[in-house]
Amino acid sequence: MKLNHLDLQVPDVQHTTLFFERHFGFRLTTSRTSPAIAILDGPGEFTLVLQRKKDPAESYPTDFHIGFIVDDEVAVERAHAELSAAGEEVSPVTRNGRGTMIYCRRDGFLVEVSRRARHG
């Protein structure tokens, strides 16, 4: 069995599609003009589905997030610089026992970019 997709409910499908295309290398495979749904192919044969949120009052839990693992700390720092320059709400770079990471708040959820700590 293989996990192959994630479906996120967002307020603006087209705006969120552009975010994942620009910053995370996803490619839209459905119509760019649909306000209701977008299907994006991403790295590692992963599919991201974005659907328009039906109830604006519904929200994700505070720390709900999706994460991207990168090969080195430089990639985390590069993502931080790129997201900050684009005006996104992004945390400072954090280094701790779990690794090096940033979090970007987007559409009520967090997007993590991290490099796991090397142990042993």
Side-chain angles (χ1 to χ4, degrees), residues 9 52-59:
Q9 307 296 299
R52 184 178 52 218
K53 189 185 287 190
K54 291 170 184 60
D55 181 355
E58 288 183 357
S59 63

Side-chain angles (χ1 to χ4, degrees), residues 11-84:
D12 185 332
V13 169
Q14 294 170 352
H15 187 68
T16 306
T17 296
L18 292 172
F19 171 79
F20 280 103
E21 287 177 315
R22 178 177 180 189
H23 300 295
F24 296 99
F26 281 82
R27 186 180 54 84
L28 182 66
T29 63
T30 55
S31 170
R32 185 158 304 278
T33 60
S34 173
I37 190 167
I39 300 174
L40 298 99
D41 284 345
E45 298 182 21
F46 187 79
T47 299
L48 179 62
V49 179
L50 303 173
Q51 290 194 67
R52 184 178 52 218
K53 189 185 287 190
K54 291 170 184 60
D55 181 355
E58 288 183 357
S59 63
Y60 291 102
T62 303
D63 293 329
F64 177 83
H65 69 278
I66 61 173
F68 294 91
I69 298 293
V70 295
D71 293 332
D72 54 46
E73 290 185 13
V74 173
V76 175
E77 293 165 357
R78 193 170 36 248
H80 181 270
E82 179 183 317
L83 290 162
S84 294

